[in-house]
């Protein structure tokens, strides 16, 4: 029940129809993370999709000469671990709590089965997740342009 | 980069002047700066300049002025070595920046020339093409012209000592003709002039004496040589004449080369 | 029709054999007489000493790209269209020394810039045509008629004697009839001549002209002579026809920013700058540095520049207008369109020089109509205001010449230098210049050191006894400014530009979205908002940087965030594991924030691509263009609307901006190369 209220407030899921949201809430559980606790590791099988309710989750990639580089932080309302429902179900980055965080976590296999079985759930959830991933892609493209760097390196 | 002025750098910058396939005219331009030569030698430590001093140095150089195109296998190796020795490499002149007039051989059969001219052609090691230095190594700055302009060389050296961006405008010769008050010989007399597609720097020298620009400073940025060639054709110049206009000191530059290829 | 002046209702007649007496009368008092003369195959405007230098019996056959001298069998001297030179060669020379540095080349000495004062001999212009007088009036308005004047132009223009000539032949590329500038003389001359076969009908346009006529002791013109003069100019009008109907053209040119015709023109255009340099009204200039090897004897030089050069719109981080089609569009749209908004007249006087002297014969009469024909319905923010009386000539401007404050340099002393990031420094400067101290948030200064270019730099804080400049070492000049140590002096000109509308924030929620060095011009705005905090509702600051180390004012930001007085959200593009703050684009800091968007005003500063993405998000939140303000960067050589480089459509970014509302910018904010 508590999870349903959280999903109603999160921007990712607050426009889902109530019974879809309730169905979703029943698939998940509330998880608390302390700073430096890892939700998933880059390259590991992705077994959970989560919605951040409070706090901040950092997404990191490993660059051998540079160590761990944080390329995005996921703020309240946003999704982490969408790879759990997209083949090959492998985590594309390491997700680590940067502050005390609360998440609604959905076990990957259970969620995949539910989506395959419940057309209405699928019809409402996929667009919402697609939007979140599209927003992330848009942000990544702007990050890629490296707009704040000095664009020309001239000898003068 | 920080200025190489006296108060900032305790030692004078080491300057080298070297040549590849060229006539020496660009190096001579520095020696022609008679009024400023003494000041230049005081501000810069000229460690290698075969034409002017018996001081020799294989490097390292703070500034290396490179004249001449890369025309032999030996030169191709040497420029790579020199690039490592130079903090700043500046190419000077049409040969170094576009391959020079000797790049005419790029359009022809180089072996045939070699065989026709030399009794023992197998002793002549040369490359089939004459190419600019920038085709071989990264270049930090370029001075164009055949020969370069002494004023522009001085501006480059001053920019280094003072710490400003060298003011070497990339605009058509026409801009200089108009500032000087030259009537345009192309418009007024139908004389073919490459000024509109050629980079200024010479002070519009040839048009100031009623001669069409030869293009010796090379094509300006985004030079629209096809449009000018079309205009020459409408004035009655035939393809051969138009090709010969561009087949001169900067024939290796793509904007000029494309016209020669199309029209010959 | 021969319009007689208001001063004297009579006309006189000067016989041809006495023309030299007129020339000598003009030379009285050490005056240089500039007039047409044949040189190197063309009619040029040069100093002349006798009437024999005039092009007697010479005509010119003008067509696009062709201007051939033609020998006639008569002695008429003024029967030619304008040649490649215009009078601006003498009032606005191709190269002038603008400023000299005292104490340049010495270490930290008292380096002070000093304006060079032009003291030219007075000039008489003999043979100025109606279109050329209109051109002089246009340049008068720009260079001498505004709040900031060009002192060199004023000195050269102040004491000109104009002896005008009413055209008796229509040149092959002339179209003054379409532009309302001729062929009839309308005013602005001291003497007006109409050439007949045996002499000149003379009319007086000023007291100075009257004195010359009196001195020459001329006979009155007969009715026949007057009639011949009238018929002559009427014949020119008839021969010229109506080459360029201008109805609705200014608006359509501006609306046709995305016309395919521009690219088609670019296939022919050589961007050689000839059209702009022969044009009598083009006024763009560049400032360059002259010095010896030590940076001593440093001066700055102002020279003719053209919007067709590649570097015209170049800034330290890029170039706002590179494509040849965009450069041509800028020129044509400015000349025939946005000039109206800027100066209240057309920029073109129909002299036809640009058509004849274009090396490939591009014809603006053809191109203007071709582009206008492809225009969609106008959708620009500010409509072009063309007076109903057009094409009738605009009224002349009196050249005043008051000293311009914005052209004067003030000295400032570096009292502190703080490195914000590896390539950004904040200098704290003390000055006692009252105008600098009274600057407003969002304004900028031009900052000069000897022998290097003077860049525009936003003021990043105002103090009671000075100001702060935050500078990125993006090129040679800014690197030198960043390297200044305590005790060094720098010369500043300003404050310049239109700043942030702080008063509009009162009673509203404020969103400030910025990135990188964009925080610098917003910092004085934040200072002011904090000073009147109780009159403003919520304030959100979203600040993005490349990495945590690249943030400006790190300590200040952290303190501001901790204080809770405004809501501060910082984000970076990427970070190492020690950063526990946000990572992600700054636009996504605000896209999910709840706001009462009907009472929110937004201030945005950063690279233009970042500002565009931010504006998209603000629109999605329902914030209208009237309440979104941005600040723009452009190439500036003067900072006061005279050098022409910073133009964006009808605006000079330096004086109409750099702060603009999106409502003012309209679609221009998104058009490439405008």
């Amino acid at each position: 029940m508590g999870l349903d209220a959280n999903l109603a407030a999160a921007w990712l899921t607050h426009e889902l129809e109530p019974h879809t949201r309730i169905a979703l809430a029943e698939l998940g559980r509330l998880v608390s993370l302390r700073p430096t606790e890892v939700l998933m590791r880059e390259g590991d099988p992705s077994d959970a999709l989560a919605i951040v309710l409070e706090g901040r989750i950092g997404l990191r990639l490993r660059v051998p000469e540079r160590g761990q580089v944080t390329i995005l932080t996921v703020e309240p309302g946003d999704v982490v671990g969408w790879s759990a429902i997209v083949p090959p179900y492998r985590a594309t980055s390491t997700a680590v709590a940067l502050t005390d965080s609360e998440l609604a976590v959905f076990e990957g296999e259970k969620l995949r089965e539910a989506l395959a079985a419940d057309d209405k759930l699928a019809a409402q959830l996929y667009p919402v997740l697609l939007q979140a991933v599209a927003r992330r892609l848009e942000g990544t493209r702007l990050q890629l342009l490296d707009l704040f760097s000095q664009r020309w390196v001239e000898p003068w | 980069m920080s200025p190489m002025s006296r108060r900032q750098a305790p030692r004078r910058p080491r300057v080298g002047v070297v040549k590849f396939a060229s006539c020496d005219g660009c190096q001579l331009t520095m020696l022609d700066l008679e009024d400023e030569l003494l000041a230049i030698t005081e501000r810069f430590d000229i460690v290698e300049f075969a034409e002017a001093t018996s001081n020799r140095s294989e490097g390292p150089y703070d500034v290396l002025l490179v004249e001449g195109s890369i025309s032999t296998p030996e030169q191709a190796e040497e420029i790579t070595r020199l690039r490592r020795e130079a903090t700043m490499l500046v190419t000077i002149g049409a040969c170094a920046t576009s391959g020079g007039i000797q790049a005419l051989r790029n359009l022809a059969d180089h072996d045939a020339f070699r065989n026709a001219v030399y009794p023992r052609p197998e002793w002549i090691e040369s490359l089939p093409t004459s190419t600019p230095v920038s085709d071989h190594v990264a270049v930090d700055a370029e001075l164009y012209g055949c020969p370069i302009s002494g004023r522009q060389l001085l501006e480059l050296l001053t920019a280094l000592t003072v710490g400003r961006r060298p003011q070497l405008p990339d605009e058509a010769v026409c801009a200089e003709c108009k500032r000087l008050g030259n009537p345009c010989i192309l418009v007024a007399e139908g004389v073919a002039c490459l000024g509109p597609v050629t980079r200024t720097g010479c002070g519009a020298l040839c048009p100031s004496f009623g001669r069409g620009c030869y293009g010796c400073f090379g094509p300006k940025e985004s030079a629209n040589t096809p449009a000018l060639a079309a205009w020459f054709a409408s004035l009655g110049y035939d393809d051969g004449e138009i090709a010969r206009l561009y087949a001169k000191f900067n024939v290796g530059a793509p904007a000029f080369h494309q016209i020669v290829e199309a029209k010959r | 029709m021969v319009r007689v002046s208001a001063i004297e209702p009579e006309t006189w007649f000067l016989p041809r054999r006495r023309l030299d007496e007129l020339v000598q009368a003009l030379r009285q008092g050490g005056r240089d007489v500039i007039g047409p003369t044949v040189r190197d195959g063309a009619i040029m405007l040069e100093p002349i000493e006798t009437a024999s230098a005039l092009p007697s019996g010479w005509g010119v056959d003008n067509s696009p790209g062709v201007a051939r001298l033609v020998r006639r069998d008569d002695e008429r001297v003024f029967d030619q269209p304008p040649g490649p030179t215009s009078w601006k060669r003498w009032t606005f020379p191709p190269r002038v020394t603008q400023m000299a540095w005292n104490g340049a080349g010495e270490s930290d000495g008292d380096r002070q810039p000093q304006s060079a004062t032009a003291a030219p001999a007075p000039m008489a212009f003999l043979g100025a045509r109606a279109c050329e007088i209109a051109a002089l009036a246009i340049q008068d308005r720009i260079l001498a008629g505004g709040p900031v004047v060009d002192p060199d132009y004023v000195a050269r223009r102040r004491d000109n004697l104009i002896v005008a000539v009413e055209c008796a032949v229509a040149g092959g590329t002339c179209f003054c009839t379409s532009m309302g500038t001729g062929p009839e003389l309308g005013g602005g001359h001291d003497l007006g001549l109409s050439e007949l076969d045996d002499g000149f009908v003379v009319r007086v346009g000023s007291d100075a002209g009257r004195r010359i006529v009196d001195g020459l002791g001329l006979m009155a013109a007969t009715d026949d002579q007057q009639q011949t003069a009238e018929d002559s100019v009427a014949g020119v009008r008839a021969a010229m026809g109506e080459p360029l109907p201008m109805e609705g053209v200014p608006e359509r040119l501006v609306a046709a920013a995305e016309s395919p015709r521009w690219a088609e023109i670019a296939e022919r255009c050589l961007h050689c700058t000839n059209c702009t340099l022969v044009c009598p009204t083009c006024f763009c200039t560049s400032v360059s540095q002259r010095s010896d090897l030590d940076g001593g004897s440093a001066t700055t030089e102002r020279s003719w520049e053209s919007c067709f050069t590649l570097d015209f719109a170049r800034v330290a981080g890029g170039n706002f207008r590179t494509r040849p089609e965009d450069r041509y569009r800028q020129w044509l749209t400015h000349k025939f369109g946005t000039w109206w908004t800027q100066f209240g007249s057309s920029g073109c006087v129909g002299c036809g020089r640009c058509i004849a002297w274009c090396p490939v014969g591009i014809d603006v009469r053809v191109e203007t109509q071709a582009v206008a024909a492809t225009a969609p319905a106008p959708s620009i923010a500010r409509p072009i205001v063309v007076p109903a009386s057009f094409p009738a000539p605009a009224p002349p401007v009196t050249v005043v010449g008051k000293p311009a404050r914005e052209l004067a340099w003030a000295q400032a002393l570096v009292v502190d230098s703080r490195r914000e990031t590896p390539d950004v420094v904040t200098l704290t400067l003390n000055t006692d210049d009252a105008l600098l101290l009274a600057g407003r948030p969002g304004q900028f200064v031009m900052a000069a050191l000897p022998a290097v270019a003077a860049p525009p730099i936003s003021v990043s804080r105002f103090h009671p006894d000075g100001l702060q400049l935050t500078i990125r070492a993006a090129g040679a000049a800014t690197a030198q400014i960043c390297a200044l140590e305590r005790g060094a002096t720098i010369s500043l000109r300003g404050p310049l530009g239109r700043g942030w509308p702080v008063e509009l924030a009162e009673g509203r929620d404020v969103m400030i979205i910025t990135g990188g060095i964009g925080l610098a011009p917003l910092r004085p705005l934040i200072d002011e908002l904090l000073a009147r905090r109780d009159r403003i509702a919520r304030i959100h600051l979203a600040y993005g940087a490349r990495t945590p180390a690249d943030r400006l004012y790190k300590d200040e930001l952290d303190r501001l965030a901790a204080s809770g007085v405004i809501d501060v959200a910082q984000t970076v593009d990427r970070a190492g594991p020690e950063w526990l703050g946000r990572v992600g684009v700054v636009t996504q800091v605000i896209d999910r924030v709840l706001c009462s968007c009907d009472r929110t005003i937004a201030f945005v500063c950063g690279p233009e691509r970042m500002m565009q993405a931010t504006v998209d998000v603000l629109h999605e939140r329902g914030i209208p263009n009237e309440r979104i303000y941005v600040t723009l960067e452009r190439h500036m050589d003067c900072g006061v609307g005279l050098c022409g480089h910073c133009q964006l459509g009808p605006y000079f970014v330096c004086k109409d901006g750099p702060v603009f509302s999106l409502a003012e910018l309209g679609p221009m904010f998104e058009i490439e190369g405008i």
Side-chain angles (χ1 to χ4, degrees):
Chain A
M1 274 298 107
L3 198 57
D4 175 52
N6 287 322
L7 293 181
W11 63 254
L12 186 76
T13 44
H14 83 276
E15 278 178 358
L16 291 177
E17 283 174 25
H19 52 270
T20 310
R21 205 176 57 227
I22 291 167
L24 184 61
E26 284 179 1
L27 294 170
R29 67 187 206 285
L30 213 54
V31 170
S32 294
L33 292 178
R34 287 199 305 280
T36 73
E37 284 194 83
V38 172
L39 184 63
M40 61 185 181
R41 272 183 215 286
E42 183 186 349
D44 282 357
S46 172
D47 54 11
L49 180 146
I51 297 171
V52 178
L53 303 174
E54 269 175 47
R56 178 174 294 142
I57 304 295
L59 300 185
R60 291 181 175 164
L61 297 179
R62 189 176 83 89
V63 182
E65 314 91 341
R66 292 195 237 159
Q68 293 281 332
V69 180
T70 310
I71 47 100
L72 188 69
T73 54
V74 183
E75 308 291 320
D78 203 353
V79 62
V80 55
W82 48 262
S83 49
I85 58 168
V86 177
Y89 315 122
R90 196 167 292 283
T92 57
S93 59
T94 298
V96 56
L98 300 184
T99 67
D100 283 313
S101 301
E102 286 245 311
L103 299 90
V105 178
F106 305 87
E107 200 190 318
E109 202 175 320
K110 242 168 91 176
L111 186 56
R112 291 199 294 270
E113 278 168 15
L115 287 169
D118 184 346
D119 283 350
K120 277 188 92 180
L121 177 68
Q124 290 209 9
L125 197 58
Y126 276 117
V128 145
L129 287 170
L130 187 57
Q131 269 183 54
V133 175
R135 176 176 173 269
R136 194 158 299 177
L137 182 61
E138 235 181 271
T140 304
R141 284 174 166 168
L142 286 174
Q143 281 169 279
L144 195 61
L145 287 179
D146 209 12
L147 292 170
F148 300 137
S149 77
Q150 188 172 330
R151 270 193 270 164
W152 283 0
V153 181
E154 291 184 304
W156 312 104
Chain B
M1 85 175 305
S2 52
M4 295 180 178
S5 61
R6 209 180 274 150
R7 60 185 181 279
Q8 302 225 312
R11 64 162 179 82
R12 293 178 299 158
R14 292 168 56 88
V15 172
V17 182
V18 297
K19 81 182 282 302
F20 291 99
S22 63
C23 73
D24 260 24
C26 292
Q27 298 181 53
L28 207 51
T29 305
M30 189 191 294
L31 300 176
D32 282 345
L33 292 173
E34 289 162 4
D35 293 337
E36 292 90 359
L37 202 49
L38 200 56
I40 291 172
T41 55
E42 283 172 3
R43 312 305 272 102
F44 297 97
D45 183 12
I46 301 183
V47 300
E48 164 80 9
F49 190 172
E51 188 161 340
T53 168
S54 46
N55 288 342
R56 305 309 298 269
S57 168
E58 298 271 287
Y61 314 100
D62 294 304
V63 182
L64 182 66
L65 301 180
V66 178
E67 182 196 278
S69 71
I70 305 303
S71 190
T72 70
E74 189 186 76
Q75 289 172 341
E77 278 179 34
E78 175 69 356
I79 189 62
T80 311
R81 181 193 79 78
L82 285 172
R83 174 70 268 194
R84 283 196 300 271
E85 294 294 326
T87 305
M88 171 181 287
L89 192 152
V90 181
T91 45
I92 57 173
C95 296
T97 57
S98 75
I101 193 153
Q102 58 273 33
L104 281 171
R105 78 163 179 273
N106 303 2
L107 294 154
D109 181 353
H110 160 261
D111 277 343
F113 288 152
R114 200 163 46 180
N115 294 335
V117 171
Y118 296 102
R120 299 291 212 117
E122 65 275 14
W123 288 354
I124 308 299
E125 278 190 12
S126 61
L127 297 169
T129 55
S130 163
T131 46
V133 168
S134 56
D135 274 10
H136 299 266
V137 296
V139 169
D140 299 301
E142 302 201 303
L143 289 178
Y144 306 96
C146 184
I148 58 171
S149 152
R151 295 289 109 212
Q152 289 198 324
L153 177 59
L154 195 56
E155 168 61 24
L156 181 81
L157 295 173
T158 306
L160 289 175
T161 54
V162 159
R164 67 166 175 252
R165 189 170 189 270
Q167 296 159 118
L168 304 168
D170 191 347
E171 56 182 21
V173 174
C174 303
E176 200 49 35
C177 264
K178 288 297 186 287
R179 292 190 194 107
L180 291 172
N182 296 339
C184 175
I185 59 172
L186 176 57
V187 169
E189 299 179 49
V191 170
C193 174
L194 296 190
V197 293
T198 301
R199 199 188 268 109
T200 189
C202 59
L205 196 55
C206 296
S208 295
F209 288 92
R211 301 293 301 268
C213 164
Y214 291 112
C216 63
F217 270 62
K220 67 183 281 295
E221 50 82 21
S222 318
N224 192 350
T225 42
L228 188 60
W231 184 260
F232 290 156
S234 76
L235 289 178
Y237 289 84
D238 64 43
D239 280 359
E241 290 169 311
I242 296 173
R244 277 192 293 282
L245 286 171
Y246 288 99
K248 291 192 170 65
F249 307 95
N250 286 281
V251 66
F256 287 1
H257 184 99
Q258 76 175 118
I259 302 299
V260 179
E261 273 287 353
K263 296 271 182 195
R264 67 183 176 137
Chain C
M1 99 132 69
V2 171
R3 287 195 215 117
V4 294
S5 81
I7 297 183
E8 289 285 349
E10 310 139 71
T11 55
W12 289 267
F13 184 74
L14 174 72
R16 186 171 293 288
R17 61 184 155 69
R18 296 187 65 193
L19 183 57
D20 192 53
E21 289 176 47
L22 172 60
V23 175
Q24 300 315 315
L26 293 174
R27 293 182 73 208
Q28 289 303 306
R31 202 178 277 276
D32 286 334
V33 176
I34 317 289
T37 192
V38 175
R39 173 168 72 77
D40 299 328
I43 308 285
M44 311 297 282
L45 295 174
E46 314 262 279
I48 61 171
E49 293 185 356
T50 67
S52 59
L54 294 169
S56 167
W58 286 101
V60 180
D61 234 341
N62 270 0
S63 65
V66 177
R68 298 293 151 80
L69 276 183
V70 170
R71 197 78 179 84
R72 289 190 316 263
D73 197 14
D74 61 42
E75 292 182 330
R76 295 173 66 102
V77 294
F78 292 120
D79 283 355
Q80 325 92 20
T85 29
S86 63
W87 305 103
K88 91 173 179 186
R89 183 169 192 80
W90 304 99
T91 56
F92 193 58
R95 292 198 160 97
V96 295
T97 300
Q98 233 185 8
M99 166 171 113
W101 285 90
N102 293 331
E106 286 145 42
S107 56
D108 302 332
D110 197 11
R111 314 179 279 209
Q112 280 228 30
Q114 193 155 40
S115 288
T117 39
M123 296 184 284
F125 295 157
L126 171 59
R129 298 157 195 289
C131 62
E132 300 182 295
I133 293 180
L136 282 170
I138 287 171
Q139 287 214 324
D140 286 347
R141 191 166 300 113
I142 298 163
L143 300 168
V148 182
V149 305
D150 185 313
D152 186 90
Y153 180 84
V154 167
R156 289 175 201 275
R157 183 80 178 90
R158 183 182 270 125
D159 192 13
N160 297 154
L161 250 181
I162 311 278
V163 179
V165 151
E166 195 158 72
C167 292
V169 297
T173 59
C174 293
F175 57 106
C176 60
T177 48
S178 297
M179 305 314 295
T181 56
E184 305 83 358
L185 288 179
H189 55 265
D190 296 289
L191 287 175
L193 308 180
S194 297
E195 187 166 14
L196 274 49
D197 285 342
D198 56 345
F200 305 86
V201 171
V202 180
R203 46 214 148 106
V204 162
S206 72
D207 291 337
R210 180 72 220 240
R211 283 194 290 277
I212 292 175
V213 162
D214 287 347
L216 289 172
L218 299 178
M219 305 271 297
T222 65
D223 286 346
D224 269 352
Q225 286 168 336
Q226 287 196 61
Q227 189 59 52
T228 308
E230 279 183 40
D231 292 345
S232 179
V233 73
V236 172
R237 178 170 277 281
M240 205 181 295
E242 171 64 303
L244 178 53
M246 281 293 292
E247 171 84 41
V249 164
E251 293 88 348
R252 294 212 297 275
L253 276 184
V254 171
E258 325 224 80
S259 167
R261 184 75 183 196
W262 301 119
E264 195 278 318
I265 297 172
E267 284 174 21
R268 292 175 277 134
C269 171
L270 309 178
H271 36 87
C272 61
T273 77
N274 274 298
C275 49
T276 50
L277 297 183
V278 298
C279 175
T281 63
C282 272
F283 60 91
C284 286
T285 54
S286 275
V287 173
S288 52
Q289 316 298 320
R290 299 276 166 260
S291 74
D292 63 25
L293 277 171
D294 285 311
S297 312
T299 58
T300 66
E301 184 180 85
R302 183 202 76 194
S303 57
W304 284 355
E305 181 57 88
S306 168
C307 52
F308 280 94
T309 61
L310 178 63
D311 278 0
F312 189 73
R314 184 185 176 280
V315 293
N319 191 323
F320 285 100
R321 191 185 301 126
T322 56
R323 304 186 310 178
E325 65 227 60
D326 297 333
R327 303 184 222 173
Y328 194 90
R329 176 180 67 190
Q330 164 61 22
W331 182 64
L332 200 72
T333 310
H334 185 210
K335 193 66 56 180
F336 287 92
T338 52
W339 204 287
W340 283 101
T341 311
Q342 294 173 343
F343 305 115
S345 77
S346 172
C348 175
V349 296
C351 69
R353 286 179 172 90
C354 59
I355 303 169
W357 295 93
C358 169
V360 290
I362 295 176
D363 190 332
V364 293
R365 298 167 299 185
V366 170
E367 302 307 337
T368 303
Q369 291 183 83
V371 171
T374 63
S379 59
I380 45 172
R382 276 164 58 169
I384 308 279
V385 177
V386 177
S389 59
F390 178 74
V397 159
T398 317
V399 174
V400 248
K402 47 192 185 303
R405 175 57 187 78
E406 287 92 329
L407 290 180
W409 294 92
Q411 293 297 90
L413 179 74
V414 179
V415 297
D416 191 55
S417 167
R418 183 194 156 106
R419 185 158 288 282
E420 305 278 354
T421 79
D423 60 351
V424 177
V425 161
T426 294
L427 293 179
T428 305
L429 302 168
N430 275 9
T431 181
D432 52 13
D433 186 86
L435 284 169
L436 279 174
L437 296 174
R440 306 292 304 127
Q443 288 193 299
F444 66 97
V445 293
M446 304 298 284
L449 293 173
V452 296
I457 301 179
S458 297
V459 177
S460 61
R461 176 159 283 162
F462 289 96
H463 287 137
D465 44 343
L467 43 80
Q468 284 191 337
L469 300 178
T470 300
I471 312 120
R472 180 160 78 184
T478 43
Q480 280 205 30
I481 298 174
C482 283
L484 289 177
E485 290 165 350
R486 293 175 110 208
T489 56
I490 187 169
S491 304
L492 303 180
R493 191 151 55 72
L496 302 172
R498 188 182 71 161
W500 303 105
V502 183
E503 59 291 342
L504 294 184
E506 295 199 358
R508 290 206 157 99
D509 287 344
V510 174
M511 285 179 93
I512 300 174
I513 307 107
T514 174
I517 199 165
L519 183 53
L522 283 164
R523 188 166 170 242
L525 172 68
I526 297 171
D527 288 346
E528 280 249 355
L529 293 178
L530 292 176
R532 42 178 105 181
R533 185 71 188 84
D534 52 337
R535 301 208 289 277
I536 298 164
R538 287 180 299 184
I539 305 180
H540 304 279
L541 167 63
Y543 177 50
R546 200 160 176 257
T547 68
D550 289 308
R551 294 172 300 147
L552 301 185
Y553 322 124
K554 301 178 187 62
D555 296 340
E556 268 184 51
L557 277 174
D558 291 341
R559 278 200 302 273
L560 202 54
S563 76
V565 176
I566 70 179
D567 169 42
V568 178
Q570 301 182 54
T571 183
V572 294
D573 281 346
R574 61 185 171 281
E578 70 291 340
W579 173 255
L580 304 180
R582 275 181 185 256
V583 176
V585 284
V586 67
T587 49
Q588 293 188 353
V589 171
I590 55 160
D591 68 346
R592 299 281 178 254
V593 161
L594 294 171
C595 72
S596 21
C597 298
D598 53 332
R599 68 164 190 170
T600 299
I601 186 168
F603 300 105
V604 185
C605 179
E608 278 194 29
R609 185 63 185 83
M610 178 224 118
M611 291 200 285
Q612 281 165 13
T614 304
V615 163
D616 287 344
V617 170
L618 292 172
H619 283 162
E620 278 165 37
R621 315 296 286 134
I623 300 173
N625 283 339
E626 294 74 37
R627 277 188 271 116
I628 301 175
Y629 285 83
V630 297
T631 183
L632 301 181
E633 178 202 3
R634 284 295 186 278
H635 182 124
M636 296 176 188
D637 271 6
C638 73
V640 289
L642 292 177
C643 74
H645 285 252
C646 69
Q647 288 175 81
L648 172 68
Y651 301 121
F652 289 85
V653 172
C654 66
K655 69 175 168 101
D656 301 314
V659 172
F660 292 97
S661 79
L662 274 201
E664 290 170 315
L665 293 179
M668 284 197 301
F669 195 50
E670 313 247 308
I671 298 176
E672 177 174 359
I674 193 121

